[in-house]
Amino acid sequence: MEWKIVWIPTPARFASFFTGLHEIGHIVVGHKGGDGKPEYLWEYEAFAWARKYCVEHNIPVPARTVNYEREIIAEKLRRSLENGMKSARLVVVEFIHQKKNGDPDVKWVWQNLDADGKLVR
Ligand SMILES: [Zn+2]
């Protein structure tokens, strides 16, 4: 058994509760350095685990929490694509495409990836 220490903030507000769940998600999904997954996928999978946990426990997730995660994931995805990655996991692209907000990275993903997750340039 391998031990890991993770910082879970005291959940005084929903955002910090969700952050704690997200960190647990990284552990449960089994993310570790050298697993070959790009960072954006780590963040999406941890987010998806946390959101699923909330759905299964009837805990409503505020839209602003989802939007915050979307912006972080879009930022990391954009960085991967700017560094030479040619396409992105479709489920992540679909998640980002679910909302158009004022965030520059979300907008960039909208403008640069097609519905198949391929770079349009
Ligand atoms: Zn994370």
Side-chain angles (χ1 to χ4, degrees):
M1 155 111 211
E2 192 184 317
W3 289 93
K4 276 194 186 135
I5 293 172
V6 60
W7 167 250
I8 310 284
T10 305
R13 295 165 188 265
F14 186 85
S16 54
F17 165 71
F18 197 83
T19 298
L21 271 185
H22 172 120
E23 296 310 321
I24 293 168
H26 279 298
I27 295 169
V28 173
V29 176
H31 294 152
K32 50 182 72 160
D35 66 8
K37 288 180 179 175
E39 213 182 341
Y40 84 86
L41 195 53
W42 277 15
E43 295 316 317
Y44 176 78
E45 288 178 345
F47 159 73
W49 187 87
R51 184 170 63 174
K52 184 167 167 276
Y53 180 95
C54 288
V55 168
E56 287 171 357
H57 293 83
N58 292 316
I59 302 165
V61 181
R64 70 171 179 279
T65 299
V66 177
N67 284 332
Y68 173 74
E69 295 264 348
R70 181 182 282 110
E71 290 165 16
I72 300 287
I73 294 162
E75 182 191 339
K76 292 181 186 304
L77 176 55
R78 177 182 181 172
R79 199 176 307 149
S80 285
L81 292 161
E82 285 178 339
N83 287 332
M85 197 176 72
K86 297 288 180 232
S87 66
R89 198 69 72 86
L90 202 50
V91 66
V92 181
V93 178
E94 284 168 353
F95 169 63
I96 294 171
H97 281 184
Q98 274 165 20
K99 189 172 162 91
K100 209 173 210 167
N101 61 16
D103 180 76
D105 298 312
V106 170
K107 196 173 162 197
W108 189 94
V109 170
W110 267 94
Q111 290 170 337
N112 290 277
L113 284 180
D114 65 20
D116 295 325
K118 302 253 187 327
L119 214 51
V120 291
R121 284 172 298 178

